[in-house]
Amino acid sequence: MLYSVKMRSSLGGTHGEGGRHISGAERIVPEDMLEENVLAMLRRARTHERGAANFINVKVEEVPDTSIEYCDLIPIYQMNTSTKEEGRAVAKKELLRIGVSQAAVDSAFHELESLTDSMRGAIVMDAVSGERLDDRHERGVRCSNMDCENTKEYEARMGARGLGGDHPREALVLASKVANAPGTVAELCWSDDPDYVTGYVGSKKYGYGRITVMKDMGDPVGGRVFFVKPGTDI
Ligand code: PML
């Protein structure tokens, strides 16, 4: 039997009710790894670069085998950049190459660059008009209930490429689920972790386009945009 373990944490109150989002994480693990994963998540919330959370919510749920859908991880390619400006310019070019319109690229960057605090979820945007389609304001839409099937093989392969650790793993799993969702054209993301400057542009068409520098070191504001085909049932 598999279990879903989800954690979200904040500082100074629950997020959205005076508290500041600190971190979130989720895994799907076998029963014998449940306890170690719950502990790892508590530790992560209490030792995060964004602050030591004092509101931590951990949810554990059984996942019936019949409810699971499998998809391939999208292939990784990397674009090396050394400044935020260079990284964002590369991301814009990549989104246009995938087929997102100039209007939608401009709108997405305007939305993300206007944020004063990180969103928990993503902005859903029409890939042609650039109109924001969700009405969830700073909460956005979350992609959840996901993990990679074979953790050992995943870690061996990613470790060999120098891409071990939580950030690439969580981002690649999420980007793969999003890219495989009906209606998705592309995704844009940069991290809300102040010490983590890497981001990506994801798509089913080309894969996980990792961009090494997309923001300034120390910046605690990050976010995501899911670009969808016009008419997608969001
Ligand atoms: C996040 O952790 O908030 C997003 C990280 C995106 C980049 C992950 C990577 O490929 O290193």
Side-chain angles (χ1 to χ4, degrees):
M1 180 56 73
L2 292 172
Y3 286 85
S4 154
V5 189
K6 290 183 184 154
M7 178 277 287
R8 60 193 158 83
S9 65
S10 54
L11 182 61
T14 52
H15 190 226
E17 284 163 35
R20 189 162 64 84
H21 165 68
I22 294 296
S23 76
E26 67 167 272
R27 296 291 309 270
I28 298 175
V29 296
E31 191 165 4
D32 62 351
M33 287 176 63
L34 198 49
E35 289 179 15
E36 82 181 67
N37 273 276
V38 169
L39 283 178
M41 283 189 190
L42 281 176
R43 204 170 304 125
R44 181 164 162 174
R46 299 282 302 145
T47 58
H48 203 271
E49 289 90 341
R50 289 172 62 79
N54 53 7
F55 285 75
I56 306 171
N57 183 318
V58 177
K59 185 158 114 187
V60 177
E61 284 174 300
E62 196 176 281
V63 180
D65 287 349
T66 50
S67 69
I68 301 176
E69 286 181 43
Y70 293 89
C71 70
D72 289 334
L73 290 172
I74 51 176
I76 303 175
Y77 59 105
Q78 182 158 305
M79 291 156 282
N80 294 319
T81 53
S82 43
T83 61
K84 161 176 133 179
E85 289 72 25
E86 194 191 347
R88 293 188 186 182
V90 164
K92 288 178 185 170
K93 229 169 120 187
E94 202 53 15
L95 287 166
L96 293 172
R97 186 170 82 98
I98 293 163
V100 177
S101 75
Q102 184 70 57
V105 171
D106 292 345
S107 168
F109 274 85
H110 173 73
E111 293 277 359
L112 291 187
E113 288 173 348
S114 312
L115 292 174
T116 50
D117 195 3
S118 294
M119 294 175 61
R120 283 210 342 249
I123 290 168
V124 180
M125 184 170 281
D126 183 303
V128 176
S129 69
E131 183 193 350
R132 181 169 180 179
L133 300 174
D134 68 285
D135 56 2
R136 292 169 60 86
H137 311 285
E138 67 283 346
R139 290 179 68 201
V141 172
R142 281 178 69 77
C143 170
S144 61
N145 302 314
M146 62 207 161
D147 203 343
C148 68
E149 183 188 9
N150 189 335
T151 290
K152 271 211 176 99
E153 187 181 339
Y154 172 88
E155 278 166 5
R157 287 206 201 182
M158 293 291 274
R161 295 179 67 169
L163 291 174
D166 287 336
H167 282 286
R169 178 195 174 108
E170 289 167 359
L172 180 59
V173 169
L174 187 151
S176 300
K177 178 162 179 170
V178 169
N180 278 284
T184 303
V185 176
E187 180 191 350
L188 167 69
C189 164
W190 61 81
S191 182
D192 61 3
D193 188 331
D195 294 343
Y196 206 79
V197 294
T198 302
Y200 66 89
V201 167
S203 68
K204 188 94 187 266
K205 200 166 181 181
Y206 299 122
Y208 183 86
R210 186 162 192 267
I211 302 171
T212 51
V213 180
M214 276 197 84
K215 65 170 202 187
D216 293 326
M217 186 61 93
D219 182 353
V221 183
R224 283 194 158 84
V225 178
F226 300 156
F227 297 94
V228 299
K229 285 184 198 138
T232 298
D233 179 349
I234 65 158

